[in-house]
Amino acid sequence: MLTLLFACVEDTPAPPTLDEFMHLAWQHYASEDFTAMAEATVAVSSTFDPEEFPLQGTFTDITDDEAALVDVGWDADPSKATGFYVVDVLACSDGELEKALTNLHQEEVYPDNYTAYERSYTTDDEAYFSGETPVLYWDTTYSVTIPLFGGYTTSIHGGVQRIEGEWDTPAYATRTWAPNPADCQEEEMHFEQDYQIEVFYPSNEGVVHVYGMWRQFGVTADSDQDDPLITNTILDAMHDYFDNTSSYCASLR
């Protein structure tokens, strides 16, 4: 079990262009600047060689100003959260991907991830699906169990933005953040901060998924996300997300 849980994955610092893109994507999402998001996505896409996928590792911290773009309900220190990223291709069509992203029942998309899950839309879903608006936002409460260490329950704000650009089908950006620390079952486990930004754009190889996350987390009082074992676990779980998304897309055919 330990071998499976802590399987070593490659942890490579993000190239400067990719690092900058994840910060820009976070900022453009907050301002709902769809044109800037599309331009930044096109620019970063030219730096990728899909034959080198997956790319995965760590990137620079979220700044105080970037963290302030969302409403965190406590005196969090953004410098204590570490940036993690994975870039790879999803085997999804445009319609399949949109269904995966917007499904209220994410436990159907990721059946092995949650012990409980509840999502509700906070903006007009009919307006989004009819094309009247390019944004759909939601609130989520979910629970996760980590083998050997216990589990936690957390509430997050999330959403998706449909991005039109030079592609034949749309790109998408999603963002989530936790306004408060998670409620952990075990006294020593702690999960204080979680900010996530994801961009999905079509390519000849499939849908390229750029997944960035800043997280402050530990399984003991003295551990945090920079512990190599926890870093490996976070990156491995992020990569599993790609496989699960592709599997869900295949189930819709």
Side-chain angles (χ1 to χ4, degrees):
M1 177 64 74
L2 281 172
T3 300
L4 293 174
L5 185 63
F6 298 133
C8 183
V9 296
E10 185 178 357
D11 173 8
T12 303
T17 303
L18 173 58
D19 194 313
E20 179 185 26
F21 171 73
M22 288 182 286
H23 287 271
L24 288 174
W26 178 265
Q27 297 164 29
H28 296 329
Y29 189 104
S31 63
E32 296 187 349
D33 191 336
F34 309 116
T35 299
M37 182 75 82
E39 291 174 349
T41 302
V42 169
V44 78
S45 68
S46 66
T47 69
F48 291 142
D49 178 357
E51 292 187 0
E52 297 177 354
F53 291 167
L55 306 175
Q56 55 195 14
T58 54
F59 71 109
T60 54
D61 293 348
I62 188 170
T63 66
D64 289 346
D65 288 343
E66 288 169 339
L69 294 174
V70 295
D71 185 13
V72 176
W74 64 291
D75 189 22
D77 181 355
S79 69
K80 292 185 178 180
T82 300
F84 301 94
Y85 76 92
V86 177
V87 183
D88 206 350
V89 174
L90 300 174
C92 296
S93 70
D94 171 61
E96 293 164 353
L97 175 63
E98 189 171 49
K99 288 180 180 179
L101 298 178
T102 60
N103 192 339
L104 287 173
H105 303 284
Q106 290 287 290
E107 70 277 13
E108 297 175 355
V109 186
Y110 309 104
D112 299 325
N113 287 35
Y114 305 107
T115 54
Y117 191 95
E118 183 176 356
R119 173 192 283 187
S120 59
Y121 296 136
T122 57
T123 61
D124 189 340
D125 57 305
E126 292 185 3
Y128 173 80
F129 289 115
S130 69
E132 182 181 345
T133 176
V135 303
L136 178 62
Y137 299 150
W138 52 75
D139 286 344
T140 299
T141 297
Y142 69 88
S143 299
V144 169
T145 297
I146 302 175
L148 305 180
F149 294 112
Y152 62 84
T153 298
T154 188
S155 295
I156 59 174
H157 302 301
V160 62
Q161 297 178 354
R162 187 188 296 119
I163 311 297
E164 303 291 346
E166 64 176 34
W167 314 280
D168 293 334
T169 57
Y172 297 89
T174 65
R175 180 190 68 178
T176 65
W177 85 93
N180 291 291
D183 181 14
C184 298
Q185 294 174 357
E186 302 299 324
E187 183 176 353
E188 290 197 333
M189 181 183 289
H190 52 99
F191 187 4
E192 294 91 345
Q193 297 185 80
D194 192 38
Y195 314 87
Q196 300 190 34
I197 185 70
E198 303 174 62
V199 177
F200 309 77
Y201 67 88
S203 74
N204 293 333
E205 291 76 22
V207 176
V208 176
H209 179 191
V210 181
Y211 186 3
M213 169 196 298
W214 295 278
R215 177 167 286 186
Q216 181 184 3
F217 174 81
V219 294
T220 67
D222 297 328
S223 71
D224 63 22
Q225 67 284 345
D226 295 326
D227 183 308
L229 296 179
I230 299 177
T231 292
N232 284 344
T233 302
I234 290 173
L235 289 172
D236 193 51
M238 291 172 71
H239 194 71
D240 286 346
Y241 178 85
F242 288 70
D243 294 335
N244 291 335
T245 305
S246 293
S247 295
Y248 177 77
C249 289
S251 76
L252 299 175
R253 296 167 199 157

